């Protein structure tokens, strides 16, 4: 049965805060994440099927299997209203509003029931996945594909969780944009603050190439949330007001490359976690920093992205702070492979826990390759 919480004077019925079955890893995904409809998804540079590709790569390397993935559930209106205004959710019932947010003009001409099912439902499911990553503290069950037994908890109790989707950091409580229709980062943190005892401070580490103006606007005057944001200073959204919420701002130049980037990430991640002691880190791990990305404008190599994620996980895990990773932006076909490589590297280094899931047989050759690639960066001066 779902849980009931009070939001003001009205109970909030949700199925998102439940325990995953025994044996599931805290990796959250659903095939419903992927957006496919008459080729419309090809009109935006975003690879609207990259999330499924990440999972397929991880399965090919025998790191995971279908029955060990926590199945994401779609966030309901009641879940979304924890952060979003009713007025904003009603706006999404107009196809031209969704077309503006997703930057796919033909969507404006589709009946809204199709837009809801083919465009917004995948985004709501990814949003539900981010919320699910943060908790699973209670008695009821989240279903994997083939298991119904009760088990441990996700990021808060297991030390880490990865939503293979999510990271809609341009959406705030009352405004979407930049392919972001729901404020999943804000929602996940608000759910934690309101419903999980002992979680009252959060750090957002946003390393997508774009400024995370959505969560910045939502947490503008909230002392419980510390935001570090490293982004290309010259690209969308350029939200000067939202920048006021950033506690540690790293503005990057066009074409920033690995050595400079990794030094800055290391310095500022360590500084952020030393300056503010959070109960959880929400890590927005956009891959649009990749060299050649049409929207990011930076020049980071695949190995640099793998190392970047390692730096963040190592900093959080060494302090005993749970970390939730969402995958955010990335506008090249090869980004799915890089995300999978990074997860394999984190596992090979013991940063996801040294135990292997039951489905993992043998030693994935790619994990060794990634680990060897990461060693190439070990001689960088990251102090």
């Amino acid at each position: 049965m779902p849980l009931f919480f009070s939001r003001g004077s009205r109970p909030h019925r949700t199925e998102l805060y439940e325990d995953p079955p025994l044996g599931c890893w805290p990796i959250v995904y659903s095939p419903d994440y992927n957006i496919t409809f008459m080729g419309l998804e090809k009109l935006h540079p975003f690879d609207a099927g990259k999330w499924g590709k990440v999972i397929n790569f991880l399965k090919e390397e025998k790191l995971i299997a279908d029955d060990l993935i926590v199945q994401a559930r779609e966030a309901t209106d009641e879940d979304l209203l924890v952060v979003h205004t009713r007025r904003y959710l009603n706006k999404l019932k107009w196809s031209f509003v969704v077309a503006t947010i997703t930057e796919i003009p033909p969507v404006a001409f589709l009946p809204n029931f199709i837009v809801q099912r083919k465009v917004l439902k995948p985004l709501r499911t990814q949003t539900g996945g981010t919320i699910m990553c943060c908790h699973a503290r209670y008695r009821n069950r989240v279903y994997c594909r083939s298991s119904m037994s009760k088990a441990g908890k996700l990021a808060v109790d297991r030390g880490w969780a990865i939503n293979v989707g999510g990271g809609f950091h341009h959406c705030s409580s009352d405004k979407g944009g930049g392919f972001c229709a729901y404020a999943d980062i804000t929602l996940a943190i608000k759910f934690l603050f309101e419903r999980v005892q002992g979680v009252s401070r959060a750090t957002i580490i946003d390393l997508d190439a774009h400024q995370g103006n959505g969560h910045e606007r939502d947490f503008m005057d909230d002392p419980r949330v510390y935001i570090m944001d490293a982004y290309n200073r010259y690209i969308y959204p350029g939200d000067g007001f939202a920048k006021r919420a950033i506690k540690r701002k790293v503005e990057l130049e066009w074409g920033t490359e690995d050595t400079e980037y990794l030094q800055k990430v290391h310095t500022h991640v360590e500084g952020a976690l030393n300056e503010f002691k959070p109960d959880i880190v929400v890590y927005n791990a956009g891959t649009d920093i990749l060299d050649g990305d049409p929207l990011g404008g930076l020049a980071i190599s695949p190995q640099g992205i793998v190392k970047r994620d390692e730096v963040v996980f190592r900093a959080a895990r060494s302090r005993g702070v749970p970390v939730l990773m969402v995958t955010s932006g990335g506008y090249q076909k090869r980004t799915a492979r890089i995300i999978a490589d990074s997860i394999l590297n984190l596992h090979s280094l013991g940063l996801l826990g040294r135990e292997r899931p039951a489905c993992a047989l043998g030693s994935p050759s790619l994990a060794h390759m990634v680990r060897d690639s990461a060693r190439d960066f070990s001689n960088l001066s990251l102090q």
Side-chain angles (χ1 to χ4, degrees):
M1 291 189 52
L3 300 175
F4 289 83
F5 298 107
S6 294
R7 182 164 48 81
S9 60
R10 187 172 65 180
H12 170 208
R13 179 179 184 273
T14 186
E15 295 184 350
L16 298 180
Y17 252 47
E18 303 177 354
D19 279 353
L22 185 64
C24 275
W25 260 27
I27 294 178
V28 182
Y29 169 73
S30 167
D32 289 341
Y33 281 14
N34 303 292
I35 301 173
T36 55
F37 180 64
M38 296 174 59
L40 284 176
E41 69 279 2
K42 297 178 182 177
L43 299 178
H44 190 282
F46 196 89
D47 180 1
K50 79 171 184 180
W51 308 286
K53 295 174 186 175
V54 173
I55 292 296
N56 287 337
F57 287 136
L58 293 177
K59 289 195 288 189
E60 287 173 5
E61 297 298 327
K62 297 182 169 38
L63 185 72
I64 59 173
D66 285 340
D67 60 346
L68 297 182
I69 300 168
V70 177
Q71 293 295 296
R73 292 180 173 180
E74 180 182 357
T76 66
D77 274 4
E78 284 294 291
D79 296 322
L80 298 171
L81 284 167
V82 169
V83 166
H84 289 295
T85 63
R86 176 67 71 179
R87 178 174 176 270
Y88 174 71
L89 295 183
N90 285 339
K91 280 176 148 183
L92 298 179
K93 295 176 182 178
W94 294 90
S95 296
F96 76 88
V97 173
V98 180
T100 301
I101 291 171
T102 59
E103 301 171 347
I104 306 175
V107 166
F109 302 102
L110 296 175
N112 192 256
F113 76 91
I114 293 177
V115 174
Q116 292 290 330
R117 187 168 70 246
K118 294 296 186 177
V119 179
L120 292 180
K121 181 178 179 179
L123 302 183
R124 286 192 295 267
T125 306
Q126 292 189 44
T127 297
T130 301
I131 296 169
M132 290 168 68
C133 276
C134 272
H135 52 81
R137 296 183 64 92
Y138 300 96
R139 296 183 184 180
N140 295 318
R141 295 186 294 268
V142 163
Y143 298 97
C144 284
R145 288 187 190 272
S146 63
S147 177
M148 294 179 60
S149 59
K150 187 176 71 174
K153 306 158 181 73
L154 297 183
V156 169
D157 289 332
R158 296 207 191 166
W160 65 278
I162 297 172
N163 182 11
V164 174
F168 303 131
H169 64 156
H170 297 309
C171 187
S172 61
S173 63
D174 61 357
K175 185 177 181 181
F179 205 76
C180 303
Y182 303 106
D184 67 317
I185 291 174
T186 305
L187 278 158
I189 292 172
K190 287 289 184 79
F191 263 70
L192 278 170
F193 285 171
E194 294 177 6
R195 295 165 169 82
V196 179
Q197 185 176 6
V199 179
S200 60
R201 292 159 65 89
T203 290
I204 299 171
I205 297 176
D206 194 333
L207 301 185
D208 187 273
H210 300 80
Q211 176 198 351
N213 60 320
H215 59 71
E216 288 160 9
R217 284 176 171 264
D218 286 336
F219 292 118
M220 178 66 66
D221 299 311
D222 194 331
R224 301 172 297 174
V225 179
Y226 181 107
I227 298 174
M228 172 192 160
D229 199 348
Y231 54 88
N232 183 337
R233 64 192 304 170
Y234 301 108
I235 61 175
Y236 178 89
D239 190 336
F241 175 78
K243 289 179 184 180
R244 293 166 45 191
I246 304 173
K247 300 297 193 298
R248 189 170 283 261
K249 180 168 56 179
V250 186
E251 295 193 320
L252 302 169
E253 300 295 323
W254 288 108
T256 299
E257 298 181 349
D258 286 17
T259 301
E260 177 187 354
Y261 180 76
L262 290 171
Q263 288 172 341
K264 287 183 175 180
V265 166
H266 181 271
T267 297
H268 289 285
V269 167
E270 290 288 332
L273 294 179
N274 289 337
E275 187 174 322
F276 183 87
K277 310 298 184 186
D279 299 309
I280 191 165
V281 168
V282 179
Y283 172 37
N284 199 42
T287 47
D288 51 1
I289 64 172
L290 181 64
D291 187 22
D293 189 280
L295 301 182
L298 303 177
I300 310 306
S301 71
Q303 294 85 359
I305 292 174
V306 169
K307 184 64 180 179
R308 175 200 67 173
D309 295 350
E310 178 188 328
V311 167
V312 174
F313 268 74
R314 195 179 294 281
R317 299 303 303 272
S318 69
R319 290 167 171 80
V321 180
V323 55
L324 159 62
M325 173 176 158
V326 289
T327 58
S328 200
Y331 306 94
Q332 298 183 73
K333 296 297 184 183
R334 57 185 177 143
T335 59
R337 176 78 260 180
I338 295 167
I339 293 167
D341 289 353
S342 180
I343 294 171
L344 290 165
N345 181 60
L346 293 171
H347 179 262
S348 74
L349 295 172
L351 295 173
L352 301 185
R354 294 192 178 276
E355 77 285 355
R356 293 188 66 80
C359 69
L361 303 173
S363 300
S365 59
L366 184 57
H368 294 293
M369 182 275 288
V370 171
R371 184 172 57 209
D372 292 341
S373 297
R375 286 199 193 105
D376 294 341
F377 288 87
S378 63
N379 60 351
L380 290 174
S381 175
L382 297 177
Q383 304 300 324

